[in-house]
């Protein structure tokens, strides 16, 4: 009976479920059962360990060096394997948090099975970063085959097997139109006349012929250069089609030349990408862009949760899902603002709508609130112009709230006069935060260092950000305050048994993936970006550029990018489940509902984040963490 019970328990637990039946039989015959009372030391630091331990019941705490919390483990969790694999003394003290029953597998049996069974052995990779990287790759390989193939297909896979259709800058509009008719193409690439070193100089489309030629009464004997779109953007042949679609949405273009190794190999259209994706909901951004009213924007946005759920189920990675959600959010901001301007009349002075936080970073998830403001250009006069911008801000923020981008609890919105300022006034605020930092001001101002223009005169925001980051790079005291603020985050290594969980009035004790897991990575990336003068807002980009600048190690940056991807994947999958259950999407989840796969790898991610926070504390925060 005892052997049967061990078999039924271990047979469904990772990593023993990866074993063959004969191998599992060897495990069961070798198991030793031990009972430990609460507070008993199961394994001490610096001793030789001879067992792989599995918690059958109860809970244990791992303390690094015997003092610092490393993890809390419960039923089905395993521990003790690093010392077995490395044949070295233990680094952790393991204490029984509750009365515990453990299954102990002898070292020799464990090592033999690890060598025999690759899947079993893979579970016990000693490095958290390697385990997490494998988990991220595994997640990308999941999903329904047909749909997954469409989602992750590359742009090159969609190009027709034909040569590129081109014309010369020396040809007339009539000759270009004849080529397009003969070759049956809607887009024509215009090259320099030098055949040996021809360069792509422009693009001519059916739309150009309608608007710039027929509609404008242009003479057909004019050179094609008069009506082409010059200096066209291009797209890599190795870009996934979802990324290509998002890029085209961002640039508001419908056709792009495709390059491979510096050579143009074809032209891809947004309609081609949408047809391949097979999802009408991916046209949400276009529907928002052409919406005739704020109510129509809100109606289009109602399809966003279903679209996100479809992308998640198709196995789309979290970064692309976040960029898609952000793209829709940006279009919503721009369209509602344009509708407000149409109602109130043109703005009296140049200005920009500035987004802060996750939208500025292109990292929005479902359920995001709004964080925005106005930057006024030259000529602004408060007495003359503020009534207009007060009305404009109200229409913008009310429209966004109606569309599901709820009012910011911290009042970081254009309706707050403190978030409507001239370029010089914004610059004065940043100057004060940088030159005279204090912990409270830093805590309240970090969101403003993630900024991006989403409508209006973008150069107002670009020059502001350039000035701010250049000043921040020179101020080591400010950098230390930013780093100290980030390093003070409490990472929920022991989220098991409710340790370091947050209490929610509705959901009870929960793990808040946004504030407890995602925000620390964003904070680390921002600190390194400010220290290196990196103006980019996106977290992935910041980490990559910070590694190039030497502010963070390449391995450290790669590890954090994997953490960021995995945690956001867990969040999107959680939100997808909530949507299917008819619940509003949130960032909060009950750890008891996590799969063992997610729980184990979240624990790996938290260890990596903690290590990087400690490194940030040592290198930039004066050793404080």
């Amino acid at each position: 009976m005892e052997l049967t019970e061990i078999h039924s328990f271990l047979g469904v637990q990772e990593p023993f479920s990866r074993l063959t039946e004969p191998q599992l039989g060897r495990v069961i015959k070798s198991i030793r059962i031990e009972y430990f009372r609460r507070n008993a030391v199961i394994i001490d630091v610096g001793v030789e360990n001879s067992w792989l331990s599995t918690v059958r019941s109860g809970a244990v705490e791992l303390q690094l060096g015997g003092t610092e919390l490393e993890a809390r483990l419960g039923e089905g969790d395993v521990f003790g394997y690093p010392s077995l694999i490395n044949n070295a003394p233990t680094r952790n003290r393991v204490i029984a948090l509750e009365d515990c029953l453990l299954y102990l597998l002898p070292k020799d049996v464990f090592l033999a099975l690890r060598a025999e069974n690759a899947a079993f052995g893979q579970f016990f990779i000693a490095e958290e970063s390697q385990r997490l990287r494998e988990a991220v790759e595994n997640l990308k390989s999941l999903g329904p085959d047909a749909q997954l193939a469409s989602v992750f297909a590359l742009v090159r896979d969609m190009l027709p097997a034909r040569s590129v259709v081109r014309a010369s800058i020396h040809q007339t509009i009539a000759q270009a139109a004849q080529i397009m008719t003969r070759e049956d193409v809607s887009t024509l690439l215009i090259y320099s006349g030098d055949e040996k070193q021809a360069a792509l100089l422009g693009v001519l489309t059916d739309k150009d012929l309608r608007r710039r030629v027929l509609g404008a009464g242009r003479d057909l004997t004019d050179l094609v250069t008069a009506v082409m779109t010059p200096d066209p953007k291009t797209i890599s042949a190795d870009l996934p089609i979802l990324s290509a679609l998002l890029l085209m949405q961002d640039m508001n273009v419908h056709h792009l030349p495709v390059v491979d190794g510096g050579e143009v190999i074809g032209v891809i259209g947004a309609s081609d990408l949408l047809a391949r994706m097979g999802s009408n909901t991916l046209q949400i951004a276009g529907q928002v862009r052409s919406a005739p009213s704020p109510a129509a924007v809100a109606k289009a946005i109602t399809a966003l949760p279903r679209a996100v759920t479809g992308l998640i189920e198709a196995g789309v990675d979290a970064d692309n899902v976040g960029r898609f959600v952000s793209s829709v959010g940006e279009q919503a901001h721009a369209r509602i603002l344009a509708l407000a301007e149409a109602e109130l009349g043109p703005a009296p002075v140049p200005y920009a709508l500035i987004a802060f936080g996750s939208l500025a970073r292109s990292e929005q998830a479902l359920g995001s609130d709004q964080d925005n403001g106005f930057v006024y250009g030259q000529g602004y006069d408060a007495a003359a112009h503020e009534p207009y911008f007060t009305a404009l801000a109200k229409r913008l923020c009310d429209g966004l709230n109606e569309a599901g981008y709820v009012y910011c609890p911290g009042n970081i919105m254009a309706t707050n006069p403190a978030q409507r300022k001239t370029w010089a006034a914004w610059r004065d605020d940043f100057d004060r935060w940088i030159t005279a930092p204090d912990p409270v001001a830093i805590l309240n101002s970090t969101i403003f260092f993630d900024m991006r223009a989403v409508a209006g005169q973008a150069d107002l925001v670009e020059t502001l950000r350039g000035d701010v980051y250049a000043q921040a790079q020179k101020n080591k005291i400010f950098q230390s305050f930013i780093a100290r603020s980030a390093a003070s985050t409490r990472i929920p290594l022991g989220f098991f048994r409710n340790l370091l969980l947050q209490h929610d009035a509705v959901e009870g004790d929960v793990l808040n993936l946004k504030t407890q897991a995602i925000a620390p990575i964003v904070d680390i990336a921002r600190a390194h970006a400010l220290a290196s003068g990196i103006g980019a807002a996106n977290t992935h980009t910041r980490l990559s550029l910070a590694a190039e600048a030497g502010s963070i190690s390449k391995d450290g940056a790669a590890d954090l990018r994997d953490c960021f991807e995995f945690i956001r994947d867990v969040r999107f999958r959680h939100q997808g489940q909530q949507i299917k259950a008819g619940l509003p999407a949130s960032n909060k989840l009950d750890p008891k509902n996590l799969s063992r796969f997610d729980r184990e790898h979240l624990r790996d991610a938290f260890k990596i984040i903690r290590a990087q926070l400690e490194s940030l504390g040592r290198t930039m925060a004066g050793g404080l963490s």
Side-chain angles (χ1 to χ4, degrees):
M1 290 296 293
E2 190 171 75
L3 294 179
T4 301
E5 197 281 332
I6 295 173
H7 185 282
S8 62
F9 179 77
L10 291 183
V12 296
Q13 302 290 341
E14 285 275 24
F16 300 101
S17 58
R18 305 183 183 194
L19 296 173
T20 65
E21 191 60 33
Q23 289 170 338
L24 182 59
R26 285 164 54 194
V27 168
I28 294 168
K29 292 177 181 178
S30 304
I31 284 290
R32 174 176 166 180
I33 302 174
E34 290 280 352
Y35 175 78
F36 294 88
R37 289 191 176 277
R38 181 181 180 183
N39 296 326
V41 176
I42 299 171
I43 302 176
D44 211 344
V45 179
V47 301
E48 181 181 353
N49 175 35
S50 301
W51 308 93
L52 174 71
S53 301
T54 303
V55 181
R56 176 60 184 89
S57 63
V60 302
E61 179 173 287
L62 278 61
Q63 300 173 348
L64 181 62
T67 57
E68 184 178 358
L69 174 64
E70 180 77 1
R72 287 190 168 182
L73 309 178
E75 183 177 295
D77 289 328
V78 296
F79 61 91
Y81 54 86
S83 58
L84 300 181
I85 294 171
N86 298 321
N87 196 29
T90 56
R91 296 187 307 159
N92 293 324
R93 175 177 292 144
V94 184
I95 296 176
L97 286 176
E98 305 168 1
D99 290 351
C100 291
L101 193 66
L102 303 182
Y103 288 162
L104 307 181
L105 183 66
K107 178 179 180 179
D108 60 338
V109 179
F110 164 67
L111 293 178
L113 290 171
R114 182 170 172 266
E116 293 173 20
N117 187 309
F120 179 80
Q122 195 67 25
F123 179 89
F124 297 99
I125 297 172
E127 291 295 327
E128 291 88 3
S129 58
Q130 190 176 346
R131 273 202 305 265
L132 193 61
R133 190 152 299 142
E134 182 194 61
V136 170
E137 292 303 317
N138 285 344
L139 285 172
K140 289 181 179 180
S141 69
L142 300 176
D145 293 341
Q147 193 174 14
L148 184 62
S150 293
V151 170
F152 286 110
L154 302 180
V155 169
R156 68 167 68 252
D157 299 331
M158 299 185 57
L159 295 176
R162 61 181 298 176
S163 58
V164 176
V165 180
R166 63 171 70 183
S168 164
I169 56 172
H170 302 304
Q171 291 179 292
T172 65
I173 296 172
Q175 289 172 325
Q178 290 167 3
I179 293 173
M180 294 173 71
T181 301
R182 183 177 68 248
E183 299 293 337
D184 191 23
V185 294
S186 60
T187 304
L188 185 66
L189 303 181
I190 312 300
Y191 277 76
S192 61
D194 186 346
E195 289 295 331
K196 293 183 178 179
Q197 293 182 329
L200 177 64
L201 298 182
V203 170
L204 182 70
T205 67
D206 282 344
K207 187 176 180 181
D208 294 330
L209 291 175
R210 292 195 306 271
R211 293 188 176 184
R212 299 176 182 176
V213 180
L214 298 178
R218 172 78 67 171
D219 191 329
L220 296 182
T221 61
D222 288 347
L223 290 178
V224 70
T225 52
V227 293
M228 72 180 187
T229 299
D231 302 319
K233 302 289 185 181
T234 59
I235 197 168
S236 169
D238 290 321
L239 202 64
I241 63 173
L242 177 60
S243 298
L245 179 63
L246 297 180
L247 185 62
M248 294 172 83
Q249 287 180 351
D250 289 342
M251 293 191 293
N252 193 23
V253 297
H254 298 91
H255 294 84
L256 281 175
V258 180
V259 296
D260 183 26
E263 296 292 327
V264 177
I265 63 172
V267 177
I268 197 72
S271 58
D272 302 320
L273 298 174
L274 286 169
R276 179 64 180 268
M277 291 296 297
S279 175
N280 291 330
T281 55
L282 288 176
Q283 300 182 50
I284 294 171
Q287 295 169 356
V288 169
R289 190 183 296 122
S290 61
S293 67
V297 173
K299 182 178 180 181
I301 297 290
T302 58
L304 184 59
R306 293 194 302 275
V308 171
T309 301
L311 294 175
I312 294 165
E313 291 180 344
V316 176
D317 60 277
D319 188 57
N320 270 321
V321 176
R323 289 180 186 276
F324 171 66
V325 175
S326 300
S327 176
V328 173
E330 184 173 339
Q331 293 297 332
H333 281 66
R335 185 56 184 163
I336 292 172
L337 188 69
L339 291 168
E341 283 189 0
E343 182 179 350
L344 296 173
V349 292
Y351 79 102
L353 170 59
I354 185 172
F356 304 107
S358 61
L359 180 57
R361 299 191 305 269
S362 298
E363 295 164 7
Q364 270 198 330
L366 297 174
S368 295
D369 59 5
Q370 51 180 295
D371 299 298
N372 51 58
F374 289 156
V375 184
Y376 301 138
Q378 290 186 349
Y380 172 77
D381 177 82
H385 303 145
E386 193 55 22
Y388 173 91
F389 285 108
T390 299
L392 185 69
K394 178 170 175 51
R395 282 166 173 76
L396 169 70
C397 295
D398 287 351
L400 289 171
N401 184 69
E402 182 183 354
Y405 302 95
V406 298
Y407 298 123
C408 173
N411 204 20
I412 301 175
M413 296 182 292
T415 47
N416 180 354
Q419 314 308 334
R420 301 194 305 266
K421 284 176 282 202
T422 63
W423 190 99
W426 276 111
R427 189 66 188 82
D428 288 343
D429 281 349
F430 282 105
D431 182 71
R432 185 176 66 256
W433 292 329
I434 293 171
T435 58
D438 69 76
V440 175
I442 290 295
L443 186 65
N444 293 331
S445 67
T446 51
I447 188 174
F448 295 106
F449 288 91
D450 302 343
M451 58 174 130
R452 186 165 59 88
V454 293
Q457 192 166 319
D459 64 318
L460 289 170
V461 179
E462 295 303 313
T463 56
L464 176 64
R465 185 170 60 196
D467 267 23
V468 166
Y469 273 72
Q471 183 183 8
Q473 185 181 16
K474 298 173 184 177
N475 194 310
K476 300 299 182 184
I477 295 176
F478 168 73
Q479 293 171 26
S480 72
F481 271 83
I482 286 286
R484 192 178 306 176
S485 176
S488 65
T489 304
R490 297 180 70 197
I491 300 301
L493 283 177
F495 62 83
F496 174 79
R497 289 292 200 268
N498 294 341
L499 180 67
L500 295 183
L501 296 184
Q502 295 182 354
H503 184 75
D504 183 87
V506 176
E507 300 181 58
D509 291 323
V510 293
L511 178 66
N512 189 321
L513 290 171
K514 178 180 178 180
T515 61
Q516 294 183 277
I518 292 172
I521 302 175
V522 170
D523 290 343
I524 294 170
R526 183 190 300 114
H528 285 293
L530 289 166
S532 303
I534 296 168
N538 179 262
T539 298
H540 271 282
T541 305
R542 280 173 165 174
L543 289 170
S544 296
L545 294 178
E548 291 180 12
S551 180
I552 185 174
S553 71
K554 291 184 178 180
D555 286 344
D559 291 346
L560 284 174
R561 288 196 301 269
D562 286 336
C563 290
F564 200 53
E565 178 69 22
F566 184 80
I567 293 168
R568 290 198 298 160
D569 184 89
V570 172
R571 174 172 67 173
F572 278 125
R573 283 188 279 120
H574 170 63
Q575 292 187 338
Q577 292 167 359
Q578 290 178 307
I579 292 164
K580 281 192 164 183
L583 301 171
S586 78
N587 296 295
K588 302 168 184 176
L589 58 81
D590 185 341
K592 292 194 294 291
N593 295 331
L594 287 168
S595 68
R596 183 169 299 280
F597 178 90
D598 286 344
R599 186 167 68 245
E600 290 289 341
H601 290 93
L602 277 175
R603 188 178 290 122
D604 289 338
F606 289 141
K607 289 180 182 178
I608 291 170
I609 296 168
R610 182 180 68 173
Q612 288 299 324
L613 286 172
E614 290 173 348
S615 175
L616 191 68
R618 289 191 301 270
T619 58
M620 291 175 57
L624 297 177
S625 59

